[in-house]
Amino acid sequence: MNDELIETFLAEAHELIVDLEKALLQLESDPANSEAISATFRAMHTLKGSAAMFGFQSVSEITHDIESIYQDIRDGRRNLDQQVLTITFQTLDHLRVALQQQIHTDPEFVSHHAALLSAIKGLLTSQNDLSAQDIPKALNGVCTYYINFEPHKNILKNGTNPLYLVDDLLVLGHGVCHPYIYELPDLASIEPDACYMGFELLLATDKSVPEIQSVFLFVEEQCKVEIIKLGESDKLRDISQTELPWNNRQDLLPVGVDAIQAFIKRTGVKQKLQKAVGTQSRGQKANNVRVSADQLDDLMNLVSELVTTQARLALFSNEHNSSELGSISENIEKITRRLRDNAFTMSLVPLDTIVVRFQRLINDLSKDLHKPIEFKAEGMDTKIDKSIIEKLTDPLLHIIRNSVDHGIERTETRITSGKSAKGTVLLKSYYSGANVLIEIHDDGGGIDLERVRQKAINKGLIDPQTSLTEQELIDLIFLPGFSTAAKVTDVSGRGVGMDVVRRNISDIRGEVLVRTKRNEGTVFTIKLPLTLSILDGILVKVGGTHFVLPLTSVAKCYEVETSQMESTYNQWITLEGKRTPFIYLRREFGVADQAPHLSQIINVPYNGTYVGLAVDRIEGEYQAVLKPLGYYYQQQQEFSGATILGNGTVALVLDANKLINKLTIEK
Amino acid sequence: MSKTVETLTSYLSFRLGDELFAANVSKVLEILEIPMITKVPRSPAFMRGVVNLRGNVLPVIDTRTKFGLSMIDDTVNSCILVLNISLDGKDIIMGAIVDSVQEVLEIDQASIQALPSVGAKYNTEFIQGMLKLNDRFIMILDVDLVFTAEEVSLLENLSEERITTV
């Protein structure tokens, strides 16, 4: 069998499983969601078909029966109960395993497979006949109405607020409202307490016309109400609200029932057409093209090369005073920048691709720990470089696990402290400059700083005499070997803790910050760069070689006399009245040529304090396109990569933390 | 694909000191003049540094030092062989500085002789074979091995006499 085809199948299958998981989670909270049910059915159906084609027998076997169950549910022949849902979730986990090709002979897998299969078969035979009235009447009796509500001018004088009436209408079902002005006198003759407005509504509800009319019971005399039935079903679900006729109008007049009716008819036809075109065009996915990650990486590399070449061209054109060359170079610069931005956005993926896993984790934990928890996610359309997302999942899972396990209190404790019984975990993400911020909020008990302190003392991490600020106490949880859980649970507190989280995050050039308040909760903030391939830094020179130091590790720069550093026998220097350890890079890098009279010391944050890095010269800010140094320099961890300067030479990118670490260990 | 590569019978010969070596042309991507090299501090002595190869960073090895010969200054004839070597199935592109490039030889596989295992001055592990051409011996290198081994001294026994003649 063609390997490439199998790979495509596997990639698709994994996507289907993610879709499936999403749909199932929806069903868990809303079992009557007909869309999620058909999505489940469709995914199972597709999986079955393609799995059989590629010889994944176990996958097609197991999806076959599940598919029939969901077909019955979809057609209203059975109810979706907890048992079905549990088994579907198990199937999902099983499918993930089954997609590994080698596993099929594994005895454990085979027995699990058989057990699951018989459980599903059991579900099929135990199928209870549903009588017609048991079918959830989700959509039964819903009609769509056009309502024109035009209050009289003097309605406000009676203390009636027409907006409340509109609200009353909208709670009957769901709908949209469009206000209009029917008469607007000159500014001179306008009466400030008169109402010149009316409202057009589209309402989908299962209530009857008299019930709708009853909303206007007390204002019948003071308004004109028109209620016209548009159709027997929920038309609002089919139409896009931004395309409604009143959105294209320049004036403020009502559009009238005829225009609305015509519009709904039009969209109805359009939809039928879309359905006829085929099932492949499912929503937005229709316009996407699948590109392999390798190809994308290639594109990124080429763009980076173009950026460097363009920098050379710009340099060259500056040296040669030709206006034509200058304008060509400028043009290329513009195009390159656009191409670069374009290519970078392509390798960005939205966070919601990993959110499903968190949802699942929280659901499971909530059951295991008997803590009812609501998981909310905001801003999950925020996009980050795909290579960052891959490395982000584990740290996030760990933090969320901690929030649920240690953060959210037991239900009794929550009630006595006057909180709602249900805990909340909020995952929130947004852009901030060239960074992406991801926050994990919990409304739990907050971090008990006194306990943190005691624990750190017991573990010998701090001296009992030292007084620490609140922030310093919080930072203790990031120390290796620190874990505050009083008892070791299955969930968290295995000793591998926050230190690993911080390290993983700093590997992708991010930071972790914590804010906590007793009884109100804790917020973990992860600050990440948008992309890993471009780095903001400062360009410095040591001897004849250029280095780039990431801006994140630059706190402050000082100018000092070189002789001052050469004469000290210990590596300390006084900066702004503060004794600071420093590293004389000329010496460490074995530079032999004549040192300049003045040197620069760059203060770098390191383990909560500062260390100075002494360089010859600071050239300025620099945006570096990162290139790996590769196999031959894998021992030189203190250089995270290299970048190509405008003049075509190579500058090395320093990892200040690792450099300081290495040098201090060597001493 | 690697199979077709191995059957290629063209070899590029180059000089290090007085010795002639050859590498299969399938391994040689191009030959460069020596540009400005950025030295990476605190790296092994045989690593000369990195250069810009059309926007990519190319690590460059000083082949003389790597092979255990004495170091000399670069001359006008010195150049970088850009090699594509494989390590555990992965391709690595690197540069090797040699004293000068000689010529491309078409070599009949049958004329490649095995290195005598006893009394050879070279470490046989890194030599695929040798070839006699105009009364001179050309050592055919296994570039994959020789440039990925942690520490290589190509010379089996570094005798005093040997060093002085180089």
Side-chain angles (χ1 to χ4, degrees), chain A residues 305 545 547 588-589 627 631-633 636 638-639 642 644 648-650 652 662-663 666, chain B residues 38 40-43 47 49-52 54-57 61 85 87 92 94 147-148:
Chain A
E305 270 180 50
T545 312
F547 296 90
E588 303 302 338
F589 289 174
K627 302 274 175 186
Y631 166 77
Y632 286 103
Y633 291 105
Q636 262 74 32
E638 59 270 45
F639 302 107
I644 290 161
T649 58
V650 181
L652 301 169
K662 258 194 154 174
L663 291 176
E666 279 170 20
Chain B
T38 303
V40 178
R42 303 157 46 76
S43 53
M47 292 306 304
V50 287
V51 301
N52 168 13
R54 286 186 301 280
N56 281 313
V57 174
I61 285 185
I85 57 179
L87 174 74
I92 300 172
M94 51 78 70
F147 288 114
T148 52

mmCIF file of all heavy atoms in Angstrom, chain A residues 305 545 547 588-589 627 631-633 636 638-639 642 644 648-650 652 662-663 666, chain B residues 38 40-43 47 49-52 54-57 61 85 87 92 94 147-148:
data_model
loop_
_atom_site.group_PDB
_atom_site.id
_atom_site.type_symbol
_atom_site.label_atom_id
_atom_site.label_comp_id
_atom_site.label_asym_id
_atom_site.label_seq_id
_atom_site.Cartn_x
_atom_site.Cartn_y
_atom_site.Cartn_z
ATOM 1 N N GLU A 305 15.385 33.293 3.926
ATOM 2 C CA GLU A 305 16.522 33.571 3.045
ATOM 3 C C GLU A 305 16.287 34.856 2.270
ATOM 4 O O GLU A 305 17.194 35.676 2.110
ATOM 5 C CB GLU A 305 16.713 32.419 2.047
ATOM 6 C CG GLU A 305 17.631 31.353 2.553
ATOM 7 C CD GLU A 305 17.797 30.246 1.555
ATOM 8 O OE1 GLU A 305 18.087 30.552 0.385
ATOM 9 O OE2 GLU A 305 17.619 29.086 1.933
ATOM 10 N N THR A 545 33.656 39.416 16.513
ATOM 11 C CA THR A 545 32.463 38.628 16.235
ATOM 12 C C THR A 545 31.210 39.313 16.765
ATOM 13 O O THR A 545 31.220 39.892 17.851
ATOM 14 C CB THR A 545 32.590 37.243 16.889
ATOM 15 O OG1 THR A 545 33.864 36.714 16.566
ATOM 16 C CG2 THR A 545 31.528 36.298 16.383
ATOM 17 N N PHE A 547 27.323 39.118 18.125
ATOM 18 C CA PHE A 547 26.399 38.227 18.818
ATOM 19 C C PHE A 547 25.058 38.933 18.953
ATOM 20 O O PHE A 547 25.001 40.154 19.034
ATOM 21 C CB PHE A 547 26.913 37.881 20.209
ATOM 22 C CG PHE A 547 28.210 37.113 20.199
ATOM 23 C CD1 PHE A 547 29.427 37.768 20.218
ATOM 24 C CD2 PHE A 547 28.204 35.733 20.149
ATOM 25 C CE1 PHE A 547 30.624 37.067 20.189
ATOM 26 C CE2 PHE A 547 29.388 35.015 20.119
ATOM 27 C CZ PHE A 547 30.603 35.674 20.136
ATOM 28 N N GLU A 588 36.134 34.842 28.424
ATOM 29 C CA GLU A 588 35.490 33.530 28.311
ATOM 30 C C GLU A 588 35.530 33.017 26.874
ATOM 31 O O GLU A 588 35.588 31.816 26.632
ATOM 32 C CB GLU A 588 34.039 33.587 28.790
ATOM 33 C CG GLU A 588 33.846 34.078 30.216
ATOM 34 C CD GLU A 588 34.596 33.219 31.228
ATOM 35 O OE1 GLU A 588 34.900 32.063 30.916
ATOM 36 O OE2 GLU A 588 34.887 33.743 32.327
ATOM 37 N N PHE A 589 35.455 33.919 25.904
ATOM 38 C CA PHE A 589 35.439 33.503 24.509
ATOM 39 C C PHE A 589 36.841 33.470 23.910
ATOM 40 O O PHE A 589 37.003 33.242 22.715
ATOM 41 C CB PHE A 589 34.553 34.443 23.673
ATOM 42 C CG PHE A 589 33.082 34.283 23.952
ATOM 43 C CD1 PHE A 589 32.133 35.127 23.381
ATOM 44 C CD2 PHE A 589 32.625 33.258 24.779
ATOM 45 C CE1 PHE A 589 30.787 34.958 23.634
ATOM 46 C CE2 PHE A 589 31.277 33.094 25.037
ATOM 47 C CZ PHE A 589 30.353 33.947 24.473
ATOM 48 N N LYS A 627 18.539 30.711 12.772
ATOM 49 C CA LYS A 627 18.925 29.507 12.013
ATOM 50 C C LYS A 627 19.561 28.541 13.005
ATOM 51 O O LYS A 627 20.329 28.968 13.859
ATOM 52 C CB LYS A 627 19.980 29.875 10.966
ATOM 53 C CG LYS A 627 19.535 30.922 9.999
ATOM 54 C CD LYS A 627 18.820 30.289 8.879
ATOM 55 C CE LYS A 627 18.273 31.361 7.961
ATOM 56 N NZ LYS A 627 17.452 30.781 6.922
ATOM 57 N N TYR A 631 24.086 19.894 14.091
ATOM 58 C CA TYR A 631 24.720 18.764 14.744
ATOM 59 C C TYR A 631 26.079 19.083 15.359
ATOM 60 O O TYR A 631 26.381 18.691 16.482
ATOM 61 C CB TYR A 631 24.857 17.656 13.703
ATOM 62 C CG TYR A 631 25.780 16.526 14.073
ATOM 63 C CD1 TYR A 631 25.359 15.549 14.963
ATOM 64 C CD2 TYR A 631 27.054 16.443 13.523
ATOM 65 C CE1 TYR A 631 26.199 14.511 15.300
ATOM 66 C CE2 TYR A 631 27.898 15.403 13.855
ATOM 67 C CZ TYR A 631 27.470 14.437 14.745
ATOM 68 O OH TYR A 631 28.290 13.419 15.084
ATOM 69 N N TYR A 632 26.921 19.811 14.609
ATOM 70 C CA TYR A 632 28.295 19.989 15.070
ATOM 71 C C TYR A 632 28.417 20.884 16.301
ATOM 72 O O TYR A 632 29.436 20.897 16.959
ATOM 73 C CB TYR A 632 29.165 20.542 13.942
ATOM 74 C CG TYR A 632 29.455 19.488 12.910
ATOM 75 C CD1 TYR A 632 28.785 19.463 11.706
ATOM 76 C CD2 TYR A 632 30.391 18.496 13.183
ATOM 77 C CE1 TYR A 632 29.032 18.473 10.783
ATOM 78 C CE2 TYR A 632 30.643 17.500 12.266
ATOM 79 C CZ TYR A 632 29.967 17.497 11.060
ATOM 80 O OH TYR A 632 30.216 16.504 10.162
ATOM 81 N N TYR A 633 27.377 21.656 16.582
ATOM 82 C CA TYR A 633 27.468 22.548 17.734
ATOM 83 C C TYR A 633 26.445 22.189 18.792
ATOM 84 O O TYR A 633 26.074 23.026 19.599
ATOM 85 C CB TYR A 633 27.295 24.002 17.286
ATOM 86 C CG TYR A 633 28.473 24.478 16.471
ATOM 87 C CD1 TYR A 633 28.363 24.625 15.098
ATOM 88 C CD2 TYR A 633 29.690 24.737 17.087
ATOM 89 C CE1 TYR A 633 29.450 25.040 14.344
ATOM 90 C CE2 TYR A 633 30.779 25.145 16.344
ATOM 91 C CZ TYR A 633 30.664 25.296 14.979
ATOM 92 O OH TYR A 633 31.733 25.694 14.249
ATOM 93 N N GLN A 636 27.274 23.131 22.225
ATOM 94 C CA GLN A 636 27.327 24.564 22.542
ATOM 95 C C GLN A 636 25.921 25.090 22.803
ATOM 96 O O GLN A 636 25.406 25.911 22.060
ATOM 97 C CB GLN A 636 27.967 25.336 21.377
ATOM 98 C CG GLN A 636 29.425 25.630 21.574
ATOM 99 C CD GLN A 636 30.277 24.396 21.395
ATOM 100 O OE1 GLN A 636 29.955 23.522 20.609
ATOM 101 N NE2 GLN A 636 31.363 24.307 22.151
ATOM 102 N N GLU A 638 24.945 27.150 24.805
ATOM 103 C CA GLU A 638 24.865 28.571 25.134
ATOM 104 C C GLU A 638 24.567 29.423 23.896
ATOM 105 O O GLU A 638 24.259 30.593 24.017
ATOM 106 C CB GLU A 638 26.139 29.049 25.834
ATOM 107 C CG GLU A 638 27.436 28.878 25.041
ATOM 108 C CD GLU A 638 28.120 27.533 25.290
ATOM 109 O OE1 GLU A 638 27.413 26.507 25.284
ATOM 110 O OE2 GLU A 638 29.343 27.515 25.486
ATOM 111 N N PHE A 639 24.660 28.799 22.705
ATOM 112 C CA PHE A 639 24.257 29.508 21.483
ATOM 113 C C PHE A 639 22.991 28.849 20.961
ATOM 114 O O PHE A 639 23.001 27.684 20.578
ATOM 115 C CB PHE A 639 25.361 29.433 20.429
ATOM 116 C CG PHE A 639 26.659 30.016 20.930
ATOM 117 C CD1 PHE A 639 27.715 29.197 21.254
ATOM 118 C CD2 PHE A 639 26.788 31.380 21.092
ATOM 119 C CE1 PHE A 639 28.896 29.726 21.743
ATOM 120 C CE2 PHE A 639 27.968 31.920 21.579
ATOM 121 C CZ PHE A 639 29.023 31.094 21.907
ATOM 122 N N ALA A 642 21.972 30.868 15.060
ATOM 123 C CA ALA A 642 22.770 31.891 14.403
ATOM 124 C C ALA A 642 21.839 32.692 13.513
ATOM 125 O O ALA A 642 20.702 32.274 13.256
ATOM 126 C CB ALA A 642 23.866 31.259 13.568
ATOM 127 N N ILE A 644 21.939 35.643 9.999
ATOM 128 C CA ILE A 644 22.806 36.221 8.983
ATOM 129 C C ILE A 644 22.599 37.721 8.923
ATOM 130 O O ILE A 644 21.464 38.201 8.809
ATOM 131 C CB ILE A 644 22.580 35.523 7.635
ATOM 132 C CG1 ILE A 644 23.151 34.106 7.790
ATOM 133 C CG2 ILE A 644 23.273 36.248 6.505
ATOM 134 C CD1 ILE A 644 22.685 33.135 6.814
ATOM 135 N N GLY A 648 26.146 39.863 5.192
ATOM 136 C CA GLY A 648 26.373 38.494 4.754
ATOM 137 C C GLY A 648 27.158 37.644 5.732
ATOM 138 O O GLY A 648 27.291 36.441 5.518
ATOM 139 N N THR A 649 27.674 38.232 6.810
ATOM 140 C CA THR A 649 28.381 37.395 7.782
ATOM 141 C C THR A 649 27.383 36.826 8.786
ATOM 142 O O THR A 649 26.215 37.214 8.826
ATOM 143 C CB THR A 649 29.458 38.187 8.537
ATOM 144 O OG1 THR A 649 28.825 39.283 9.194
ATOM 145 C CG2 THR A 649 30.527 38.697 7.595
ATOM 146 N N VAL A 650 27.886 35.876 9.570
ATOM 147 C CA VAL A 650 27.015 35.167 10.498
ATOM 148 C C VAL A 650 27.214 35.721 11.909
ATOM 149 O O VAL A 650 28.346 35.941 12.331
ATOM 150 C CB VAL A 650 27.335 33.662 10.471
ATOM 151 C CG1 VAL A 650 26.432 32.902 11.414
ATOM 152 C CG2 VAL A 650 27.203 33.119 9.057
ATOM 153 N N LEU A 652 26.127 34.996 16.035
ATOM 154 C CA LEU A 652 25.616 33.918 16.874
ATOM 155 C C LEU A 652 24.600 34.480 17.862
ATOM 156 O O LEU A 652 24.758 35.588 18.356
ATOM 157 C CB LEU A 652 26.767 33.259 17.632
ATOM 158 C CG LEU A 652 27.850 32.662 16.734
ATOM 159 C CD1 LEU A 652 29.067 32.281 17.557
ATOM 160 C CD2 LEU A 652 27.309 31.458 15.994
ATOM 161 N N LYS A 662 26.362 27.506 32.384
ATOM 162 C CA LYS A 662 27.517 26.701 32.005
ATOM 163 C C LYS A 662 28.781 27.239 32.647
ATOM 164 O O LYS A 662 29.589 26.492 33.186
ATOM 165 C CB LYS A 662 27.676 26.720 30.487
ATOM 166 C CG LYS A 662 27.179 25.462 29.825
ATOM 167 C CD LYS A 662 27.662 25.411 28.406
ATOM 168 C CE LYS A 662 27.758 23.987 27.929
ATOM 169 N NZ LYS A 662 28.077 23.899 26.518
ATOM 170 N N LEU A 663 28.938 28.563 32.598
ATOM 171 C CA LEU A 663 30.167 29.157 33.121
ATOM 172 C C LEU A 663 30.255 29.012 34.626
ATOM 173 O O LEU A 663 31.332 28.792 35.173
ATOM 174 C CB LEU A 663 30.252 30.631 32.715
ATOM 175 C CG LEU A 663 30.482 30.871 31.225
ATOM 176 C CD1 LEU A 663 30.457 32.346 30.900
ATOM 177 C CD2 LEU A 663 31.801 30.258 30.786
ATOM 178 N N GLU A 666 31.201 25.421 35.464
ATOM 179 C CA GLU A 666 32.597 25.114 35.168
ATOM 180 C C GLU A 666 33.530 25.616 36.256
ATOM 181 O O GLU A 666 34.627 25.105 36.429
ATOM 182 C CB GLU A 666 32.990 25.744 33.826
ATOM 183 C CG GLU A 666 32.547 24.907 32.648
ATOM 184 C CD GLU A 666 32.707 25.638 31.329
ATOM 185 O OE1 GLU A 666 33.483 26.603 31.284
ATOM 186 O OE2 GLU A 666 32.036 25.232 30.358
ATOM 187 N N THR B 38 32.763 32.833 10.896
ATOM 188 C CA THR B 38 32.467 33.266 12.261
ATOM 189 C C THR B 38 32.826 32.133 13.211
ATOM 190 O O THR B 38 32.259 31.050 13.141
ATOM 191 C CB THR B 38 30.973 33.608 12.406
ATOM 192 O OG1 THR B 38 30.649 34.615 11.455
ATOM 193 C CG2 THR B 38 30.667 34.110 13.797
ATOM 194 N N VAL B 40 32.864 30.028 16.488
ATOM 195 C CA VAL B 40 31.958 29.814 17.612
ATOM 196 C C VAL B 40 32.817 29.591 18.852
ATOM 197 O O VAL B 40 33.584 28.629 18.898
ATOM 198 C CB VAL B 40 31.046 28.594 17.370
ATOM 199 C CG1 VAL B 40 30.147 28.351 18.572
ATOM 200 C CG2 VAL B 40 30.206 28.808 16.127
ATOM 201 N N PRO B 41 32.737 30.487 19.836
ATOM 202 C CA PRO B 41 33.598 30.352 21.000
ATOM 203 C C PRO B 41 33.344 29.033 21.735
ATOM 204 O O PRO B 41 32.245 28.494 21.678
ATOM 205 C CB PRO B 41 33.181 31.526 21.898
ATOM 206 C CG PRO B 41 32.495 32.480 21.008
ATOM 207 C CD PRO B 41 31.878 31.663 19.926
ATOM 208 N N ARG B 42 34.354 28.560 22.406
ATOM 209 C CA ARG B 42 34.264 27.404 23.272
ATOM 210 C C ARG B 42 33.895 26.125 22.519
ATOM 211 O O ARG B 42 33.315 25.209 23.073
ATOM 212 C CB ARG B 42 33.242 27.650 24.390
ATOM 213 C CG ARG B 42 33.552 28.879 25.235
ATOM 214 C CD ARG B 42 32.337 29.463 25.939
ATOM 215 N NE ARG B 42 31.520 28.459 26.581
ATOM 216 C CZ ARG B 42 31.845 27.853 27.723
ATOM 217 N NH1 ARG B 42 32.951 28.180 28.345
ATOM 218 N NH2 ARG B 42 31.063 26.952 28.227
ATOM 219 N N SER B 43 34.229 26.060 21.224
ATOM 220 C CA SER B 43 33.954 24.832 20.491
ATOM 221 C C SER B 43 35.280 24.102 20.266
ATOM 222 O O SER B 43 36.342 24.683 20.433
ATOM 223 C CB SER B 43 33.259 25.149 19.161
ATOM 224 O OG SER B 43 33.996 26.094 18.430
ATOM 225 N N MET B 47 36.691 22.645 14.840
ATOM 226 C CA MET B 47 35.561 23.371 14.293
ATOM 227 C C MET B 47 36.025 24.793 13.994
ATOM 228 O O MET B 47 36.323 25.554 14.900
ATOM 229 C CB MET B 47 34.398 23.406 15.297
ATOM 230 C CG MET B 47 33.725 22.067 15.553
ATOM 231 S SD MET B 47 33.140 21.201 14.091
ATOM 232 C CE MET B 47 32.061 22.415 13.350
ATOM 233 N N GLY B 49 34.238 27.137 12.539
ATOM 234 C CA GLY B 49 33.179 28.120 12.748
ATOM 235 C C GLY B 49 32.035 27.909 11.778
ATOM 236 O O GLY B 49 31.843 26.796 11.270
ATOM 237 N N VAL B 50 31.291 28.992 11.529
ATOM 238 C CA VAL B 50 30.143 28.891 10.627
ATOM 239 C C VAL B 50 30.256 29.949 9.543
ATOM 240 O O VAL B 50 30.812 31.024 9.760
ATOM 241 C CB VAL B 50 28.806 29.056 11.383
ATOM 242 C CG1 VAL B 50 28.492 27.824 12.206
ATOM 243 C CG2 VAL B 50 28.814 30.277 12.275
ATOM 244 N N VAL B 51 29.733 29.631 8.364
ATOM 245 C CA VAL B 51 29.695 30.609 7.283
ATOM 246 C C VAL B 51 28.280 30.689 6.726
ATOM 247 O O VAL B 51 27.445 29.820 6.981
ATOM 248 C CB VAL B 51 30.667 30.269 6.124
ATOM 249 C CG1 VAL B 51 32.086 30.180 6.626
ATOM 250 C CG2 VAL B 51 30.251 28.986 5.437
ATOM 251 N N ASN B 52 28.044 31.756 5.993
ATOM 252 C CA ASN B 52 26.751 31.963 5.366
ATOM 253 C C ASN B 52 26.750 31.296 3.993
ATOM 254 O O ASN B 52 27.483 31.706 3.103
ATOM 255 C CB ASN B 52 26.523 33.478 5.241
ATOM 256 C CG ASN B 52 25.355 33.816 4.345
ATOM 257 O OD1 ASN B 52 24.556 32.958 3.991
ATOM 258 N ND2 ASN B 52 25.266 35.092 3.982
ATOM 259 N N ARG B 54 24.405 31.041 1.251
ATOM 260 C CA ARG B 54 23.147 31.536 0.668
ATOM 261 C C ARG B 54 21.993 31.521 1.664
ATOM 262 O O ARG B 54 20.946 30.944 1.432
ATOM 263 C CB ARG B 54 22.774 30.710 -0.554
ATOM 264 C CG ARG B 54 23.643 31.020 -1.753
ATOM 265 C CD ARG B 54 23.151 30.283 -2.970
ATOM 266 N NE ARG B 54 23.138 28.846 -2.763
ATOM 267 C CZ ARG B 54 24.214 28.092 -2.849
ATOM 268 N NH1 ARG B 54 25.375 28.622 -3.108
ATOM 269 N NH2 ARG B 54 24.131 26.793 -2.645
ATOM 270 N N GLY B 55 22.232 32.156 2.812
ATOM 271 C CA GLY B 55 21.158 32.313 3.771
ATOM 272 C C GLY B 55 21.050 31.188 4.778
ATOM 273 O O GLY B 55 20.258 31.267 5.696
ATOM 274 N N ASN B 56 21.826 30.137 4.606
ATOM 275 C CA ASN B 56 21.828 29.101 5.620
ATOM 276 C C ASN B 56 23.164 29.080 6.338
ATOM 277 O O ASN B 56 24.177 29.518 5.804
ATOM 278 C CB ASN B 56 21.560 27.735 4.993
ATOM 279 C CG ASN B 56 20.095 27.544 4.729
ATOM 280 O OD1 ASN B 56 19.260 27.820 5.587
ATOM 281 N ND2 ASN B 56 19.768 27.111 3.521
ATOM 282 N N VAL B 57 23.142 28.560 7.549
ATOM 283 C CA VAL B 57 24.360 28.540 8.343
ATOM 284 C C VAL B 57 25.058 27.203 8.118
ATOM 285 O O VAL B 57 24.486 26.147 8.358
ATOM 286 C CB VAL B 57 24.013 28.737 9.828
ATOM 287 C CG1 VAL B 57 25.255 28.574 10.680
ATOM 288 C CG2 VAL B 57 23.405 30.112 10.031
ATOM 289 N N ILE B 61 34.491 22.534 9.114
ATOM 290 C CA ILE B 61 35.487 21.771 9.859
ATOM 291 C C ILE B 61 36.860 22.002 9.254
ATOM 292 O O ILE B 61 37.002 22.048 8.023
ATOM 293 C CB ILE B 61 35.134 20.268 9.808
ATOM 294 C CG1 ILE B 61 33.954 19.987 10.729
ATOM 295 C CG2 ILE B 61 36.326 19.400 10.158
ATOM 296 C CD1 ILE B 61 33.607 18.539 10.837
ATOM 297 N N ILE B 85 26.514 14.669 4.292
ATOM 298 C CA ILE B 85 26.824 13.398 4.927
ATOM 299 C C ILE B 85 25.597 12.899 5.662
ATOM 300 O O ILE B 85 24.709 13.680 6.016
ATOM 301 C CB ILE B 85 28.014 13.532 5.902
ATOM 302 C CG1 ILE B 85 27.710 14.586 6.945
ATOM 303 C CG2 ILE B 85 29.278 13.866 5.152
ATOM 304 C CD1 ILE B 85 28.834 14.744 7.930
ATOM 305 N N LEU B 87 23.886 10.789 8.865
ATOM 306 C CA LEU B 87 24.109 10.274 10.204
ATOM 307 C C LEU B 87 22.778 9.729 10.693
ATOM 308 O O LEU B 87 21.803 10.457 10.775
ATOM 309 C CB LEU B 87 24.579 11.413 11.128
ATOM 310 C CG LEU B 87 24.708 11.058 12.600
ATOM 311 C CD1 LEU B 87 25.940 10.194 12.813
ATOM 312 C CD2 LEU B 87 24.796 12.315 13.446
ATOM 313 N N ILE B 92 23.107 15.695 6.842
ATOM 314 C CA ILE B 92 23.713 16.881 7.442
ATOM 315 C C ILE B 92 24.566 17.528 6.362
ATOM 316 O O ILE B 92 25.324 16.856 5.673
ATOM 317 C CB ILE B 92 24.609 16.512 8.646
ATOM 318 C CG1 ILE B 92 23.791 15.814 9.722
ATOM 319 C CG2 ILE B 92 25.297 17.748 9.202
ATOM 320 C CD1 ILE B 92 24.638 15.262 10.838
ATOM 321 N N MET B 94 27.604 20.007 5.669
ATOM 322 C CA MET B 94 28.715 20.652 6.370
ATOM 323 C C MET B 94 29.813 20.977 5.378
ATOM 324 O O MET B 94 29.813 20.509 4.241
ATOM 325 C CB MET B 94 29.234 19.762 7.507
ATOM 326 C CG MET B 94 29.565 18.333 7.169
ATOM 327 S SD MET B 94 31.142 18.110 6.331
ATOM 328 C CE MET B 94 32.245 18.487 7.663
ATOM 329 N N PHE B 147 33.522 12.269 9.196
ATOM 330 C CA PHE B 147 33.116 13.589 9.679
ATOM 331 C C PHE B 147 32.047 13.543 10.758
ATOM 332 O O PHE B 147 31.607 14.578 11.230
ATOM 333 C CB PHE B 147 32.652 14.460 8.516
ATOM 334 C CG PHE B 147 33.787 14.910 7.651
ATOM 335 C CD1 PHE B 147 33.890 14.471 6.345
ATOM 336 C CD2 PHE B 147 34.769 15.754 8.162
ATOM 337 C CE1 PHE B 147 34.951 14.878 5.544
ATOM 338 C CE2 PHE B 147 35.830 16.161 7.367
ATOM 339 C CZ PHE B 147 35.927 15.715 6.057
ATOM 340 N N THR B 148 31.585 12.352 11.117
ATOM 341 C CA THR B 148 30.612 12.307 12.202
ATOM 342 C C THR B 148 31.195 11.676 13.457
ATOM 343 O O THR B 148 30.605 11.758 14.520
ATOM 344 C CB THR B 148 29.341 11.534 11.799
ATOM 345 O OG1 THR B 148 29.733 10.271 11.283
ATOM 346 C CG2 THR B 148 28.528 12.286 10.781
#
